[in-house]
Amino acid sequence: MAEANLDPVFQIQRVYLKDVSLEQPNSPEILLNPEQPAVDIQLGVDATPVAEGLFEVSVTATVQTKIGDKTVFLVEAKQAGIFEIRNIPADQMGAILGIACPQIVYPYLRGNVADVIQRGGFPPVHMAEINFQAMYEQQQAQAAAAAPAAPQIIV
């Protein structure tokens, strides 16, 4: 009788651009404004089970530039990856899905966002490196602080 292989498995199955959009709602007038636009970048990470041992992890970026209250451009992009993850202790899965996988996907997202912005006729916006471990730990601390305290039983 063959024994089941219980070695830990962590493999990238595929990395892909799931969604991207570029909007320039105030063109062409806003393009003639010589002011430097303010840039706002928001990031999000999501992990979803796809099948037994397979997970889709996506990193989403929203990059918006404004001059005053008028949008110069808005880019929304979602880069995803499918990862095979098996035989990993349950207490380590959150960190793998929230740190290791996004670290693999994020460089592709950065490149695609910079490319879309440049192809839209703008100087590229270079998104900074992200410390996904610090981001994950901050999210865990916020979740712990938001959770109600367990009632204490005094005997």
Side-chain angles (χ1 to χ4, degrees):
M1 180 174 210
E3 289 183 26
N5 184 354
L6 298 178
D7 291 339
V9 174
F10 178 81
Q11 292 183 9
I12 304 166
Q13 297 296 317
R14 175 166 293 180
V15 175
Y16 53 98
L17 182 61
K18 188 164 184 161
D19 186 24
V20 67
S21 70
L22 168 67
E23 298 174 27
Q24 298 183 44
N26 295 299
S27 294
E29 297 83 18
I30 196 91
L31 300 176
L32 303 174
N33 191 326
E35 290 182 54
Q36 279 293 100
V39 179
D40 179 47
I41 300 173
Q42 302 292 321
L43 289 175
V45 175
D46 188 41
T48 308
V50 177
E52 179 65 35
L54 293 176
F55 298 85
E56 179 189 61
V57 176
S58 60
V59 181
T60 304
T62 302
V63 180
Q64 184 171 23
T65 59
K66 286 185 166 189
I67 295 176
D69 64 344
K70 292 196 176 222
T71 297
V72 178
F73 69 80
L74 171 68
V75 172
E76 296 172 310
K78 181 184 280 191
Q79 189 80 38
I82 298 174
F83 297 87
E84 181 180 5
I85 306 170
R86 300 179 189 277
N87 305 323
I88 303 290
D91 64 336
Q92 295 177 14
M93 284 298 290
I96 289 172
L97 295 171
I99 300 170
C101 296
Q103 284 176 331
I104 293 167
V105 170
Y106 183 69
Y108 294 94
L109 177 68
R110 286 179 67 207
N112 283 326
V113 167
D115 188 49
V116 165
I117 291 169
Q118 196 166 7
R119 288 177 185 269
F122 301 99
V125 171
H126 296 288
M127 295 167 40
E129 291 290 329
I130 300 295
N131 182 339
F132 284 99
Q133 181 169 350
M135 189 172 154
Y136 176 77
E137 289 171 357
Q138 180 182 15
Q139 289 170 342
Q140 294 300 315
Q142 288 172 346
Q152 293 183 343
I153 300 174
I154 301 173
V155 181

